[in-house]
Amino acid sequence: MATATAERAAAPAAAPPGPPRRRRRTHSRTEQRAGTAFAVPGVVLLLVFVIGPAVVSLVLAFTNARLISPTPPEFIGLENFRRAFADDATFHRSLLNTLLFACIVVPLQGGLGLVLALLVNQKLAGRNFFRTVFFLPVITSMVVVSLLWRFLYQEDGLVNSALSMLTGGAWAGQAWLADPSTAMGAIVVMSVWQGVGFHMIIWLAGLQTIPEEVYEAGALDGTTPWQRFRHLTLPLLKPTFVFVLITITIAAMSLFVQVNIMTGGGPVGSTSTIVLQIVQKGFQQQQMGYGAALSLVFFCIVLTLALVQRRLTRDKD
């Protein structure tokens, strides 16, 4: 008797009965239905505004479709692409301008954004004020910014007035946007000024993820501030660097609003870009098939650049 009682006392207590399996299945199905209901609006919007137009554009790229035409579109194969690369000098100039703009803006905007991030990351009085000031152009409409800078660049605008005052009246004035040699440079300056605040915030977020102990260990080892920046900050900012590099490149290659408002692609095509050509060919000249072909070329160029940048900046291990 004593042995049996001891065995019963030593035996683990029976687990309380769990919820019925049917109830668990009911909860699982309810969660699945709720998840599906929340996902449906996003999927519908994605299909209507992203995937659908992309498929239509892909089909139109191989036709001679026009925006308004009594005749139905005809399949012409690769004729639009042959025309773009062999016959369209304006497209060649637009492609060169876009690549030139990207080659200047990407390092300039990314580097200046990092410098500003390092400055506003210091424990100084008023740093929140400067963060706000540097970020204000980002939240301002690009249309408004372009109109403002178009007035600044006029021959009697603020830029020429300031240069004339600094040179004691020796500066005679310059029509920045009307001169082919200065129009693209003027747009570069405005674009860097408008977008550098966004990348400053991205760099700043990356800087604030670096533990303070890393810098303290570097200081104990007797490293200089430059050595800590080169061997500690930059390697730890590599994921942020990849993100900033790709986003700036895509934004630079998509240059449109500034050019459309400030110069319209002129003078003499010196500021024409690929996206501007796509809009002009597709909507102003109503050549929807050719415009779709140019958009497909633009997509392939941007995708290739993004993949190359990602491969060059990925971890070796």
Side-chain angles (χ1 to χ4, degrees), residues 35-80:
T36 303
F38 281 112
V40 165
V43 173
V44 171
L45 292 175
L46 187 66
L47 290 173
V48 173
F49 293 104
V50 178
I51 298 179
V55 173
V56 173
S57 177
L58 179 62
V59 174
L60 290 177
F62 299 93
T63 68
N64 62 350
R66 299 185 63 86
L67 187 61
I68 300 176
S69 176
T71 59
E74 299 178 356
F75 178 79
I76 58 174
L78 300 176
E79 176 59 26
N80 286 327

Side-chain angles (χ1 to χ4, degrees), residues 223-244:
T223 57
T224 63
W226 167 250
Q227 290 173 332
R228 289 195 292 272
F229 172 75
R230 180 181 177 184
H231 299 290
L232 297 178
T233 304
L234 286 182
L236 293 174
L237 283 178
K238 187 173 183 179
T240 307
F241 169 75
V242 174
F243 177 78
V244 169

Side-chain angles (χ1 to χ4, degrees), residues 28 73 98 103 105-106 110 133 139 141 146 160 163-164 166 168 183 190 193 206 243 275 279 294 302:
S28 178
T98 304
C103 290
V105 168
V106 170
V133 170
I139 61 177
S141 170
S146 300
N160 284 321
L163 291 175
S164 177
L166 292 175
M190 187 275 291
W193 174 86
F243 177 78
V275 178
V279 174
L294 295 183
V302 174

